[in-house]
Each structure stands twice: as C-alpha cells, then as structure tokens.
Amino acid sequence: MSTTQSERLRGLVEPLVSAEQLDLEEIEVSRAGRRRVLRIIVDSEEGVELDACADLSRAISAKLDETDAMGEDEYVLEVSSPGADRPLTEHRHYVRATGRLARLTLNEGGELVARILAVDEEGLDLEVPGVKGRKPTSRRIAFDEIARARVELEFNRKDKKEEEA
C-alpha cells in the first residue's frame, strides 16, 4: 500500500474508530487472488466486542463508499481486534498485557518468557517462572533492551474471576 493511500485511509478511518472509543492499531491492504483485502485492526483497554467490530465495519464501509480511497477494484473489508498472541509494539500494548505471559527477544541476544507484573515509562517489571521446581524470580527490563515482544497464549492459567470465586 502506498504511503499516500495509507495516510488517506488512516485519515478516513481514524475518526470513526476514535468515535467508538477504540484505538486504531493497524491498517493493511493486501491481495487475495483478484481481490484486495483491507484489514483494519482496532483495540481498547477492555478489548473489543464482536458487535463493536460489526458496527465499526458498517461505518467504515459507508465512509469508503463515499470516497474513492480504495479505487474501483473490488475489495473485502475486515475489521477485527488483534489476536491473542499479538506483538507488543506500543507502550499501551504492554500495559494491556499486564498479568499476561510474554515472550521477549532481547537486543543483546537471547529470549525470555516471563509474566508482566507492572509497566512504567522506562520498562517492565517481570516475574520469570522457576524451572524444575524453583521459585519464580523478579526481573526488570528496560524498553530499549527489547527487540521484539509477543503475548504468549496460556491454556491452563486460571482467569482472575475464577481465582476470586
């Protein structure tokens, strides 16, 4: 997608996303056979409900129909939330992932899987799980030490609501 088209799409879509109290995470145009796919990823502190994606999709579709931002070719519009294993690229992503397990690739090399306990402007407070019966350890990582980070899926962790019951 050209920078001009990307900027134009962002300019059209961002006000609609903000009106729903959501964050515009990503806009991507790709090819799927003969058609193009316009994928819009949105998120919020509380996550995104399916109904909110459907409402936003209708609003974006109407707005795009009013303009020629996508040109004359056919396209498919997809509005969704980021996946559960989303990459962490913005400060707000780390804040939203507090309490979750994350896989961090460090600039110095190596990888670390740890639970995000707290996030501030400089970095993360982590709990590194113990290995072979050892207790977990605490670790502090500055944002500038992180090359890449992604939330790890956990299938056996109890939800906070379950723990409180």
Side-chain angles (χ1 to χ4, degrees):
M1 173 168 58
S2 71
T3 304
T4 307
Q5 184 185 29
S6 175
E7 290 168 359
R8 184 159 184 214
L9 286 170
R10 184 169 287 280
L12 290 170
V13 169
E14 204 152 29
L16 299 171
V17 173
S18 296
E20 298 293 325
Q21 284 80 46
L22 298 172
D23 296 321
L24 179 58
E25 295 293 342
E26 184 178 339
I27 295 178
E28 173 189 314
V29 177
S30 60
R31 284 245 171 239
R34 291 183 175 182
R35 293 186 181 169
R36 291 176 299 156
V37 177
L38 172 57
R39 189 169 290 115
I40 298 173
I41 308 295
V42 296
D43 202 4
S44 77
E45 295 295 325
E46 298 80 33
V48 182
E49 298 284 326
L50 184 58
D51 289 342
C53 286
D55 292 343
L56 186 57
S57 179
R58 284 189 286 276
I60 291 170
S61 181
K63 188 64 156 182
L64 291 173
D65 288 346
E66 294 172 7
T67 71
D68 65 347
M70 289 299 293
E72 296 298 318
D73 294 341
E74 289 184 26
Y75 67 93
V76 174
L77 173 62
E78 294 179 2
V79 177
S80 66
S81 62
D85 62 343
R86 67 158 328 136
L88 305 174
T89 57
E90 304 282 337
H91 184 269
R92 69 178 179 266
H93 298 164
Y94 289 97
V95 171
R96 290 176 186 160
T98 300
R100 309 262 324 259
L101 204 59
R103 180 174 302 274
L104 309 170
T105 303
L106 305 177
N107 287 326
E108 66 189 33
E111 208 169 63
L112 175 66
V113 176
R115 189 162 313 282
I116 300 173
L117 299 178
V119 180
D120 59 31
E121 296 304 315
E122 287 80 41
L124 311 170
D125 291 327
L126 304 170
E127 178 184 77
V128 182
V131 180
K132 296 183 181 179
R134 295 187 182 142
K135 291 185 179 185
T137 57
S138 296
R139 182 162 176 190
R140 174 81 180 167
I141 298 282
F143 286 121
D144 62 3
E145 296 176 61
I146 302 170
R148 287 187 314 273
R150 179 178 295 278
V151 170
E152 285 286 290
L153 294 178
E154 294 180 85
F155 295 105
N156 59 355
R157 181 162 192 244
K158 288 186 179 180
D159 191 4
K160 288 180 185 178
K161 293 175 188 170
E162 292 178 33
E163 291 175 1
E164 293 170 359

